[in-house]
């Protein structure tokens, strides 16, 4: 690897992500802290209802993280030992970990190259009599080809848990994600389209599934146990199933309530920045830009360039080196699951991953967040253009 090239002068590093927090968020959290109620409470309940209203789904259960949400959704659906769960290789480790922690066996099926989601045909080929569930991942904020996956799943009696960690605000044929599968899981981690710091959400149209997720997330206690330290509560509670401490707390929910109110503003700004990138980089050879299908609305959690290593010297890694030298952040989403030691150590097969492998060898995510300034956007564009122009083979 050659040394990176300097194209601009920056005094400070532009991080891959910087949160957009104002006085309203700080005041909301401060108010909760002053109240003395620091754990699961009324703010969490309100946040769940507001999310359900926004997404137009029947039920929304706030949880500690999307990782917790995936696990809870699978547990609530009865996924366990002896079951197989199909998922794509291009996703964060949480998707895989949720399956393993349930005692089920993960089975990988390749992605489709255009929108980077689970390939419906690869999913169909991976089904066996042991397949209990599929986890389609809405990668980078673009919905996957979910109608085809749902049709195959329904024909085979397979449950569907959507991993929408990147995709709060994404639409499929005009309808917001959140109510298509048996359950959908969103992330409110710090880098996501809006944040509770850490946190997640499980949505569903099924009241029984929602109640089971809620109960499992709160030690397996009955629904009103959280009130036992309030003036309305009772000391008596019942544990109806072995559960977990995976619920959200009121300070995080208070932050989320303010951020949820800004969700449309954040999405509009992300969409604007993504359009700026695409317009400025469209004429560069050897680069594939992200697309938005006519049947989808992209949430633009990530802006992923794919750099052709046969046309750009040192490929994706060369571009990352140039961005770093110019004090600009970037990232890679994601290292395929089958490349991690936890996968290979378990002796799990990972055959037929040609599209995932091709994607991984070329992908780089550019900085994209609402708080970016015009100067920062232009700096990224300048460095990407000059780097890729200079590195043409």
């Amino acid at each position: 690897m050659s040394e990176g090239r300097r194209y601009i002068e920056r005094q400070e590093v532009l991080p891959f992500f910087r949160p957009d927090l104002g006085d309203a968020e700080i005041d909301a959290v401060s108010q909760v802290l002053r109240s003395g109620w620091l754990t699961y409470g009324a703010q969490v309940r309100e946040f769940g209802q507001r999310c359900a209203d926004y997404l137009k789904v029947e039920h929304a259960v706030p949880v500690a993280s999307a990782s917790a949400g995936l696990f809870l959704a699978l547990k609530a659906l009865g996924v366990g030992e002896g079951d197989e769960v199909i998922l794509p290789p291009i996703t964060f480790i949480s998707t895989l970990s949720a399956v393993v922690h349930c005692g089920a066996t993960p089975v990988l099926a390749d992605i489709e190259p255009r929108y980077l989601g689970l390939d419906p045909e690869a999913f169909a080929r991976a089904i066996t009599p042991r397949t209990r569930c599929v986890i389609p991942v809405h990668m980078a904020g673009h919905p996957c080809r979910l109608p085809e996956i749902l049709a195959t799943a329904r024909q085979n009696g397979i449950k569907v848990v959507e991993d929408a960690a990147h995709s709060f605000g994404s639409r499929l044929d005009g309808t917001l994600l959140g109510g298509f599968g048996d359950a959908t899981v969103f992330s409110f981690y710090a880098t996501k389209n809006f944040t509770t710091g850490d946190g997640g959400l499980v949505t569903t149209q099924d009241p029984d599934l929602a109640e089971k997720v809620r109960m499992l997330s709160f030690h397996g206690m009955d629904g009103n146990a959280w009130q036992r330290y309030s003036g309305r509560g009772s000391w008596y509670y019942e544990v109806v199933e072995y559960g977990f401490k995976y619920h959200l707390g009121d300070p995080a929910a208070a932050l989320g309530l303010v951020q949820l109110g800004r969700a449309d503003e954040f999405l509009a700004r992300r969409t604007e920045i993504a359009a700026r990138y695409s317009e400025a980089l469209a004429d560069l050879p050897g680069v594939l830009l992200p697309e938005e299908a006519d049947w989808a609305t992209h949430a633009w959690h990530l802006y992923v360039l794919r750099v052709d290593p046969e046309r750009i010297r040192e490929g994706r890694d060369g571009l990352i080196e140039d961005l770093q030298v110019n004090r600009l952040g970037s990232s890679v989403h994601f290292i395929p699951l089958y490349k991690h030691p936890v996968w290979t150590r378990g002796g799990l097969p990972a055959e037929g991953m040609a599209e995932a492998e091709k994607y991984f060898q070329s992908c780089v995510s550019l900085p994209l967040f609402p708080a970016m300034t015009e100067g920062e956007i232009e700096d990224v564009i300048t460095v990407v253009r000059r780097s890729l122009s200079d590195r043409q083979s």
Side-chain angles (χ1 to χ4, degrees), residues 108-125:
L108 297 185
D110 205 4
I111 63 170
E112 54 89 18
R114 196 165 185 185
Y115 306 115
L116 310 179
L118 177 66
D119 184 283
E121 290 75 28
F123 162 51
R125 290 193 297 270

Side-chain angles (χ1 to χ4, degrees), residues 31-68:
Q31 185 174 349
V32 170
L33 295 178
R34 292 189 183 98
S35 77
W37 191 279
L38 304 183
T39 184
Y40 183 105
Q43 293 285 313
V44 177
R45 306 285 281 201
E46 181 182 354
F47 180 56
Q49 186 58 59
R50 289 269 302 277
C51 285
D53 293 343
Y54 183 96
L55 296 168
K56 296 180 173 56
V57 296
E58 291 297 319
H59 307 279
V61 183
V63 291
S65 65
S67 303

Side-chain angles (χ1 to χ4, degrees), residues 18 27 33 64 102 138 170 234 253 273 306 355:
R18 184 172 62 234
D27 290 344
L33 295 178
C102 283
H138 302 294
S170 298
S234 166
I273 296 169
R306 281 174 275 178
E355 293 298 339

Side-chain angles (χ1 to χ4, degrees), residues 330-377:
S330 64
S331 192
V332 171
H333 297 88
F334 291 101
I335 299 169
L337 295 176
Y338 55 81
K339 289 185 178 293
H340 290 294
V342 292
W343 183 273
T344 55
R345 191 168 57 238
L348 294 165
E351 301 167 349
M353 301 294 128
E355 293 298 339
E357 190 64 25
K358 189 186 306 180
Y359 166 78
F360 172 60
Q361 297 300 330
S362 66
C363 64
V364 54
S365 300
L366 301 182
L368 173 60
F369 52 89
M372 286 184 77
T373 68
E374 296 304 305
E376 290 168 343
I377 297 168

Side-chain angles (χ1 to χ4, degrees), residues 237-266:
Y237 60 89
E238 293 184 336
V239 177
V240 297
E241 189 164 338
Y242 292 112
F244 310 88
K245 188 174 175 61
Y246 284 166
H247 57 77
L248 199 64
D250 270 17
L255 172 59
L257 282 164
V258 178
Q259 290 264 296
L260 176 61
R262 303 178 65 192
D264 291 343
E265 166 198 337
F266 289 157

Side-chain angles (χ1 to χ4, degrees), residues 120 123-125 127 146-158:
F123 162 51
R125 290 193 297 270
I127 294 171
L146 188 60
E148 297 161 77
I149 293 169
L150 284 170
T152 299
R154 299 301 184 235
Q155 290 166 9
N156 290 275
I158 296 169

